[in-house]
Amino acid sequence: MTFDQMLERVRYDGVHPTRERAEEAVRAVLAALGRRLFGDERVALAACLPVEAALVFTAEIPDIRPLACTAFVDDLAARTGGTIATARWDACTVLAVVARLAGHDLITRVLDQLPGGYAPLFGRADLVEAA
């Protein structure tokens, strides 16, 4: 997938009115994710993305402190000046495309690195083991 194809997919899936709005969402969400991932999963995920997207993702310095999913969405909203609902929508739209590019196994490893609650952002059910 090229970067233009990625933007078109996000524009269509996210019902964004313009390509520019879709690009804003892609850049904001990939930067936010880039601040959360490190190690082998970060490298593998970057390799799955179109070059332009990988550059946005890897330009961020990872913060290894865990950040809850709700805090991730709150931070995304604050950085973009949008609402929490819009930030969640953008995250779900962009990360679902990222999940398709990366594949099941890599996204499972990515989710293992993140605190619980992120799975729905990647288009997955958030399954919790029974105690």
Side-chain angles (χ1 to χ4, degrees):
M1 178 179 283
T2 67
F3 188 60
D4 285 336
Q5 290 169 327
M6 181 182 198
L7 294 180
E8 276 306 306
R9 175 57 31 203
V10 168
R11 187 193 64 73
Y12 181 79
D13 292 351
V15 194
H16 294 297
T18 64
R19 182 183 182 281
E20 291 75 22
R21 176 63 189 98
E23 185 170 353
E24 290 171 8
V26 167
R27 290 183 180 279
V29 172
L30 288 178
L33 185 61
R35 289 188 289 277
R36 305 284 29 111
L37 295 180
F38 53 90
D40 292 341
E41 288 74 21
R42 178 182 174 90
V43 173
L45 188 57
C48 295
L49 299 173
V51 172
E52 298 90 334
L55 291 173
V56 172
F57 172 69
T58 59
E60 297 296 321
I61 298 170
D63 182 350
I64 61 171
R65 294 175 293 178
L67 183 67
C69 181
T70 54
F72 174 85
V73 172
D74 290 347
D75 181 61
L76 183 59
R79 288 176 187 267
T80 62
T83 65
I84 291 172
T86 301
R88 179 171 291 283
W89 181 265
D90 286 347
C92 288
T93 302
V94 173
L95 295 178
V97 173
V98 168
R100 285 194 295 263
L101 289 170
H104 180 80
D105 292 342
L106 177 55
I107 294 303
T108 298
R109 291 180 15 228
V110 165
L111 289 170
D112 286 345
Q113 190 178 113
L114 297 168
Y118 279 81
L121 296 182
F122 288 89
R124 292 227 188 139
D126 197 8
L127 304 176
V128 180
E129 288 185 31

